[in-house]
Amino acid sequence: MNTPPWPPGAERADGSAVRIGALVPLSRPGWVEAGRHLLAGLELAVGEVNDAGGIAGRPLELVVRDTAADPQRAAAAVDELAGLGVAALAGEYHSVVARAAAARADALGLPFLCSSAVFDALTEQPTQWVARLSPPQSRGWQVYADFLLGAGHSRIAVATQPSVYWASGTRILRDYVTPRGGTVIELDMSTLTPTAVCDELVGHRATALLLLVGHPEPAVPIVQSVRRDQRLAGVTIGAPAGQPEFAEWATLLGDDGAAVPFLRYRPERLGPLGTRVETTLRERLGEAPSFVTFEGYDTIAVLADLLRTHGTDRARTAASWPHVDVAGTRGQIRFSRVPGINVWQWAVPPIQVVDRDPANPDRFRIRHAG
C-alpha cells in the first residue's frame, strides 16, 4: 500500500508489484455477502497467478476499496486507484455503482473489467476502456421472462423500489412479456406494506410476484407475508436479481426461502478448472461459493492473461479486449461488441434460472437455461 504512484500507462522496470484495483461492496448498505464472495474469487486467482510466477516475474497485488454500494464513493476510489498506478480495475457487484466506476475509468483511460454488474447502459457512450463478464440485464431478464411465460404466468406483479436498476428490470420484463400476451403489474414498495402487497396480488389476480427490492429489507418481510397468506398459496415468488443465491437468504427465511427462482450465471456442469476452484473456494468461505465468486476468479484470469501477453501499459490493455481468449471457470471467455451495449462484452456467459429445493433448501434446482 506504500508503493508510490507512477505516471498512467508507464511500465515498471524493477521488481515491484503489478497492481490491480478491486472495487467491492464490503459494508452496508452494500450487499456485503455478495462482496465477500466476489473478493474471495479475486483473491484466490491473484494467489494462483503469483504461485505461477506472477506477471513476467513481478507479483500481482490486489488493492481493494470498499464501495459500500455508493456511486460517489466508487468514483472517488477510481481516482485514487488511478493515482496509485494500478494497471487495471476489477470487480463491483452493484450496477449503479459499476456505472459510476465505468464512467470514471473511461474518463481517466483506465482499463476496467466489470465482474458482476449487469445494467445494460454501463457507459453512456461506446468505450474501449471497459469490458464486462456478466451478461447484460436485458439478456438475463429475458431468459427469466421466458421461464415465467413457459410456466404459465401471464399476470406478473413486480414489487419494486425507486432505482435505475429496478426500473430497467421492470421495463425489460414489460417490453418482453406484453407482446407475448402477458401483463406486468407494478407495486410501489415506497407506499405499500408487505401485508398490502398480498391484497394487491389478490386484487390483480397475479400468479407471480417478483422481488425487485433490497435485501434483506423489504424482501424478507414480503416473502414471509405472501407465504403466510392462504389466498396466495399458488403464487410463485421470484427474485431475478439473485438474492436466494446466498446463504443469508436461507438463514433468514428457512423453508419460506425455497422455490424462489432467481438468475445464476454458471453452467449446469463445471469443467476441471471450475470444479477445482469451487472446491478451494468452498474451503475458504466455509460455504458453497456463489456464481459471484467465479466471476471474481475469472476477472483476474482474464486480466492476468492480458498483462502477461501485452504488458502493463493501460492503452495496450484496453486495445486487447477483442483478442482475449481465456479458459474461465464457466467457459471460454472472449469479448465482442454486442448490439446496444457500449462496452466489450462476454457475449455468451451461461445463464440459468434456479431455485432452492423445498425438499432440501441447501440444494439448487435448475428450472430453465438460456
Side-chain angles (χ1 to χ4, degrees):
M1 300 298 293
N2 296 318
T3 304
W6 58 88
E11 297 274 7
R12 293 297 292 258
D14 58 24
S16 61
V18 177
R19 289 176 155 188
I20 292 177
L23 304 174
V24 187
L26 295 174
S27 60
R28 298 287 187 188
W31 197 341
V32 175
E33 192 170 14
R36 186 170 67 90
H37 279 232
L38 177 57
L39 184 58
L42 293 167
E43 289 179 334
L44 175 61
V46 167
E48 292 188 356
V49 168
N50 288 333
D51 289 344
I55 307 298
R58 296 167 58 189
L60 193 61
E61 178 186 345
L62 205 61
V63 186
V64 181
R65 292 294 179 269
D66 174 19
T67 63
D70 184 336
Q72 292 182 330
R73 184 166 171 171
V78 174
D79 286 344
E80 179 197 2
L81 291 165
L84 289 173
V86 299
L89 288 176
E92 196 43 52
Y93 179 82
H94 298 284
S95 284
V96 293
V97 180
R99 187 173 62 164
R104 202 68 200 116
D106 181 48
L108 294 171
L110 180 59
F112 174 31
L113 180 49
C114 180
S115 303
S116 296
V118 300
F119 192 58
D120 279 33
L122 200 57
T123 58
E124 294 297 326
Q125 302 295 331
T127 175
Q128 66 170 337
W129 296 101
V130 183
R132 173 167 56 189
L133 284 176
S134 49
Q137 186 181 20
S138 55
R139 180 166 177 251
W141 288 44
Q142 286 175 7
V143 169
Y144 195 91
D146 277 333
F147 160 72
L148 291 175
L149 293 170
H153 297 292
S154 60
R155 298 188 63 78
I156 303 162
V158 295
T160 187
Q161 292 177 305
S163 161
V164 172
Y165 176 67
W166 298 129
S168 172
T170 301
R171 184 176 62 254
I172 291 165
L173 291 167
R174 181 174 285 120
D175 289 349
Y176 194 80
V177 166
T178 301
R180 292 162 176 80
T183 301
V184 173
I185 304 139
E186 193 166 351
L187 305 179
D188 184 358
M189 292 310 301
S190 63
T191 62
L192 293 173
T193 65
T195 300
V197 168
C198 296
D199 295 334
E200 291 287 329
L201 293 174
V202 172
H204 287 287
R205 296 180 289 111
T207 62
L209 170 66
L210 306 188
L211 303 171
L212 310 192
V213 294
H215 172 75
E217 298 287 340
V220 168
I222 293 173
V223 173
Q224 291 170 332
S225 292
V226 173
R227 293 293 199 216
R228 285 157 177 69
D229 193 319
Q230 294 184 355
R231 300 173 298 171
L232 304 174
V235 169
T236 292
I237 304 174
Q243 296 95 323
E245 168 82 0
F246 298 97
E248 183 183 28
W249 175 271
T251 300
L252 293 174
L253 281 165
D255 292 344
D256 284 345
V260 179
F262 63 93
L263 284 166
R264 181 170 74 166
Y265 308 126
R266 59 174 286 175
E268 181 177 356
R269 290 182 178 84
L270 295 170
L273 173 61
T275 300
R276 177 181 64 76
V277 168
E278 182 178 45
T279 299
T280 304
L281 286 169
R282 185 185 294 271
E283 293 172 356
R284 290 195 175 194
L285 290 166
E287 61 189 24
S290 69
F291 69 85
V292 178
T293 56
F294 296 109
E295 290 175 328
Y297 184 97
D298 289 343
T299 300
I300 296 300
V302 168
L303 290 176
D305 183 77
L306 286 177
L307 295 170
R308 288 192 196 101
T309 306
H310 303 283
T312 59
D313 178 81
R314 292 172 178 174
R316 285 206 298 269
T317 298
S320 301
W321 297 125
H323 307 300
V324 167
D325 192 354
V326 173
T329 59
R330 298 163 299 140
Q332 198 72 16
I333 299 170
R334 302 181 183 92
F335 295 112
S336 61
R337 289 295 192 182
V338 174
I341 305 299
N342 288 330
V343 302
W344 287 99
Q345 177 70 54
W346 185 18
V348 290
I351 300 175
Q352 300 173 339
V353 178
V354 304
D355 66 7
R356 290 180 177 270
D357 189 343
N360 179 6
D362 290 332
R363 188 174 76 86
F364 293 108
R365 305 182 299 182
I366 299 174
R367 306 290 301 277
H368 183 70

